[in-house]
């Protein structure tokens, strides 16, 4: 069944994009991964989607939240979990999610089979529509990633790229050619070439 993203009913959950955990990501190149995370964050800002940030045990080896995310969402709820591995086990995090009033949750994080899968599966259990952004989530290797994807899909989670998320939310180029073009150009080098040729043509 096609559950279509709706910018009026969606919230973004950025889970454990922490300096220490990022060093574990091996299923996607580090530069590309960070670009994808920031592209998803920029999409959340562009579409004015409520966004919740969370970290796990950041005083330990997991480290602090990536500073760019904190800077991009200065007013967003930020839940520094003292130890819960599944963000959904943290009462403040769940309260922040429910406070958005949105039914669709767009989730990305590190690592895929734990920090993403656990809250995604928990949210599905509570009746949310869950969309996991695969290229803004990372883990140790492709085997681990693929198993996590299958587990989530079997539970009803939809897997998407950040680009797919942005396009589905936008619906129609005519809504804002320059704005969407700028979003894509900032994070996809080939798209920058395309937009440049369009604007100079």
């Amino acid at each position: 069944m096609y559950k279509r993203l709706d910018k009026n009913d969606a919230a973004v959950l950025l889970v454990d994009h922490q300096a220490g955990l990022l060093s574990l990501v091996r299923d996607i190149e580090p530069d590309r991964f960070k670009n994808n995370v920031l592209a998803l964050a920029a999409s959340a800002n562009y579409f004015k989607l409520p966004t919740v940030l969370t970290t796990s045990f950041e005083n330990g080896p997991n480290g602090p939240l990536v500073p760019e995310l904190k800077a991009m969402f200065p007013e967003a709820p930020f839940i520094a979990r003292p130890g819960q591995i599944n963000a959904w086990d943290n009462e403040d995090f769940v309260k922040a999610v429910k406070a958005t009033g949105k039914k669709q949750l767009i989730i990305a994080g590190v690592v895929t089979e734990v920090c993403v899968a656990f809250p995604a599966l928990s949210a599905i259990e509570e009746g949310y529509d869950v969309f996991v952004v695969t290229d803004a989530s990372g883990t140790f290797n492709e085997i681990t990633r693929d198993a996590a994807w299958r587990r989530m899909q079997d539970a009803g989670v939809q897997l998407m790229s950040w680009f797919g998320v942005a396009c589905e939310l936008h619906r129609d180029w005519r809504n804002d050619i320059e704005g969407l073009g700028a979003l894509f150009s900032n994070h996809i080098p080939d798209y920058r070439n395309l937009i440049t040729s369009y604007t100079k043509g």
Side-chain angles (χ1 to χ4, degrees), residues 54-73:
T54 186
T55 56
S56 171
F57 197 47
E58 64 176 40
N59 294 328
N62 295 348
L65 185 72
V66 172
E68 292 94 330
L69 293 180
K70 208 86 169 275
M72 290 176 76
F73 300 100

Side-chain angles (χ1 to χ4, degrees), residues 109-128:
V110 182
V111 294
T112 306
E113 72 275 19
V114 175
C115 308
V116 177
F118 292 176
L121 295 169
S122 298
I124 285 278
E125 275 288 295
E126 294 209 17
Y128 288 91

Side-chain angles (χ1 to χ4, degrees), residues 148-169:
W149 286 354
R150 283 195 299 273
R151 185 184 188 197
M152 289 188 283
Q153 275 189 311
D154 287 348
V157 173
Q158 293 195 58
L159 304 180
M160 299 183 71
S161 67
W162 77 263
F163 184 78
V165 166
C167 288
E168 192 156 284
L169 289 168

Side-chain angles (χ1 to χ4, degrees), residues 20-21 45 51 57 70 142 151-152 164 198:
L21 292 177
N45 270 338
T51 300
F57 197 47
K70 208 86 169 275
E142 290 83 357
R151 185 184 188 197
M152 289 188 283
Y198 166 73

Side-chain angles (χ1 to χ4, degrees), residues 38-51:
L38 296 179
L40 175 61
S43 300
N45 270 338
Y46 174 69
F47 292 106
K48 298 180 174 59
L49 304 182
T51 300

Side-chain angles (χ1 to χ4, degrees), residues 68-154:
E68 292 94 330
L69 293 180
K70 208 86 169 275
M72 290 176 76
F73 300 100
E75 305 299 323
F78 170 59
I79 314 300
R81 308 191 313 280
Q84 297 96 340
I85 293 174
N86 181 351
W88 210 265
D89 288 340
N90 182 280
E91 187 178 336
D92 291 333
F93 178 77
V94 175
K95 280 182 180 175
V97 173
K98 291 183 175 178
T100 68
K102 308 302 181 183
K103 181 72 171 167
Q104 299 181 335
L105 302 180
I106 300 167
I107 305 178
V110 182
V111 294
T112 306
E113 72 275 19
V114 175
C115 308
V116 177
F118 292 176
L121 295 169
S122 298
I124 285 278
E125 275 288 295
E126 294 209 17
Y128 288 91
D129 295 328
V130 177
F131 304 77
V132 162
V133 187
T134 56
D135 55 356
S137 303
T139 189
F140 304 101
N141 54 56
E142 290 83 357
I143 296 171
T144 306
R145 177 197 67 198
D146 292 351
W149 286 354
R150 283 195 299 273
R151 185 184 188 197
M152 289 188 283
Q153 275 189 311
D154 287 348

